Amino acid sequence: MTRRPVDHSAAPVVGYTDRFSLRPGERIAVSASARSPECAVRVLRISHDGGRPVRTPVPAGAPDSVRLPHQDFDFGSFGRVPAPPPLGAAIGFVSWLWPTALPRERAAVLSQGEPEAGPYAALYLLSDGRPAFEARTGEGVVAVDGELPLRPRRWYLLAGGYDPARGAYLLVLPRDPLASEGRLLQANVPPLGELTPGPAPLLLGGRAAAGTVVDNLDGKVDAPCVFDRVPDAGELTELAAGQASPSGLGATACWDLACEISGERMLETVGGHHGWLHNRPLRAVTGHDWTGEVLDWRHADRGYGAVHFHSDDLADAGWDPAFTADLPADLEPGCYAVELCTADGVDRVPFFVRPRRDAEKAPLVLLVPTLSYLAYALDHLRQPVRPEDPREVAARFARDNLLHSLYDRHTDGSGVCTASSLRPLLGMRDDHLFRYLGAAHQYSEDVQLIGWLERQGFAFDLLTDHDLDAEGAPALGEYRAVLTGSHPEYWTGPMLDAMSSYVDSGGKLGYLGGNGAYWVTAIAGDRGQIAELRRGFSGVRTWEAEPGELHLASTGEPGGLWAERGRSPHTLFGIGSTAAGMTTGAAYRLTDGGDAADPAVDRILAGVDRSAPLGGYGSVLDGAASFETDGIDLLLGSPPDITLLGRAMLGEEYMSAYTGPAFGHPQADPVDDRRADLTLLRTAGGGAVFATGSIGWCGALSHAADDNDVSRVTANVLRWFVSE
């Protein structure tokens, strides 16, 4: 791993908690890094008064002050085998390699030991792309370099080794040779004494140095193996053609990376020299022998034996806790934050408290979209334009420290498929402004909803995406109604199953956002800290998965959009994504609901002037219908008896989120996609879904001190839902 001290230029103090969700009486651990060590600590209950966040100190068992270290990030994924075959009289490393970016100095493909002392051998890339091999002998380190650079995103079979009778050898066989490469490339240097023998750990994608890992690789490694000799050109050609196996040629160790893809273990098939992958390199990726015939790694006999290492992977910041706190047994459920205040600045790290297991549940529960928070929290797609602009703080910190959201790309240009909660997430703060809008977004907008609920007198509990994924439908069972946040975009299969079961069984759901349940997502990691997705070839996206790599490693399920799997959000909410834009929003024009005598419509619209536009205001782009919106689409699963309460047309400055063919279905709705639909869906089992179809809706609740029609409609719906 490449160790980099935290760059505090954008944020003097940063922290994270060991989990998003706790119950009263449980212990929370807080890790942090700061420019100045002296830090005052408070636990705050977080709300909103309609204009700004409200932060109320609460006694929660945290220390009043602590000393914070200046921490490091350890970047780069790698594989480690603690007990490989020891280095003996001769050594040969063989592996397929698909390089994706050139290193600054060098990047290790396979290495054993450390170059400073003791047994050592390494197969690696130089900064100009040429492969090289080196090993320690009794007379010094002997090295051999290739003459031609390896080309990015092409497969090569590499072999490097040392024999005291023949010297150091390097062989390179391109899978698909270019005219400039030839078929087989060889290099060698004369012998320099006997190898330094002995045991030493073996690494894939990195090299050991003084207790850490350096020279991290950007690229895929497939079928790495070790010999106690140097394989010759003929044997390498046989391996490349599949006419021989490493074990058949006498390999002392060979790792089958197609085994246990959903986990972190590296299975060794010759002598049981198993290892582990660190910092979450990407699995379920195509290897050197992928033919395109099978697209699902779970059903493939070959083609998925590779691991994609990145020099900027980070699955866990790994900081020791600065302190722990035991939450009081009588702590009220709600939204909280740990405030870390130094002489240079302040950070407020959020967490959520659920009710005690034996406590009576509130009538209403807010599903906090922690997966969506995690997806967006470190976005830095574009260079910050104004470094001193508060909208750029999270992006500047992320860019300065090589941290990524699920919208970014790795150093090698590949899309970021995983995001960890165990690192500072500065976009998840109560005063965060989304850099593209200059408005609250995700957590900071949902805090506005929380404040509105409290001012309206609604008793409610909180439940996170992570909780719902782990516990399923029982987590919702005792609640009369469920609310979503403003932008619940990332959903797992268990979450969809649980919510569908809840609504089908008579539950009431308030979908108060837009762009919901859009991307297939999974939760992984030994502490559930990893969100994984694979962006497909449709939908509003910032990158696409490589061919053959759409299936998630953690679950094996197809990634992309839920709509592509027949589980469009329309089938749950009644509506789904229609448009996106970053200009002024719009108001809804109310309809008669399709039936002027419908008592449910009258109940929802009580106290509202139905002839006037609804929601031409709000903290998100000045409109309740804004940013990303949803609408009815019968072809994607909206029930034909759904009730349209209102519609906002967004205009040409918004782009359609339509992801279908250039020529639409002949039975498609002719209404412009660039709209937001306000709807009511009722199910055969007595359930109901009220959907606003807009991310901007929650930002309009507090307009004019809550005295507005968006507030009235939402309150009418919730009072109806919790009364039944």
Side-chain angles (χ1 to χ4, degrees), residues 552-572:
L552 278 64
S554 52
T555 61
E557 63 188 311
L561 301 180
W562 278 113
E564 295 173 310
R565 292 177 52 185
R567 302 199 70 176
S568 166
H570 304 74
T571 63
L572 174 59

Side-chain angles (χ1 to χ4, degrees), residues 97-158:
L97 174 67
W98 196 70
T100 53
L102 296 179
R104 289 186 177 181
E105 296 181 3
R106 60 167 61 186
V109 180
L110 274 166
S111 70
Q112 193 168 358
E114 301 188 15
E116 289 76 15
Y120 169 69
L123 180 64
Y124 55 93
L125 283 184
L126 297 170
S127 60
D128 59 3
R130 291 181 300 125
F133 174 83
E134 65 184 18
R136 169 172 289 102
T137 72
E139 300 182 31
V141 174
V142 60
V144 56
D145 302 345
E147 294 183 0
L148 295 177
L150 306 188
R151 305 300 179 91
R153 298 173 60 85
R154 300 182 68 82
W155 281 107
Y156 298 86
L157 183 59
L158 305 184

Side-chain angles (χ1 to χ4, degrees), residues 338-358:
V338 176
E339 182 182 76
L340 306 171
C341 184
T342 71
D344 299 320
V346 63
D347 191 18
R348 299 180 186 92
V349 186
F351 65 96
F352 307 94
V353 176
R354 301 174 65 185
R356 292 173 57 93
R357 296 183 187 278
D358 58 355

Side-chain angles (χ1 to χ4, degrees), residues 4 53 69 98 127 129 170 216 220 245 281 339 381 472 475 576 621-622 649 665 671 678:
R4 286 172 53 116
W98 196 70
S127 60
L170 184 70
N216 293 99
K220 296 181 186 178
S245 67
E339 182 182 76
L381 273 174
L621 299 174
D622 299 319
M649 304 306 298
H665 195 285
V671 178
L678 187 69

Side-chain angles (χ1 to χ4, degrees), residues 379-397:
D379 157 59
H380 57 84
L381 273 174
R382 300 185 302 190
Q383 288 281 358
V385 178
R386 295 176 293 275
E388 302 306 318
D389 191 324
R391 291 178 295 184
E392 302 289 359
V393 170
R396 284 178 55 213
F397 179 79

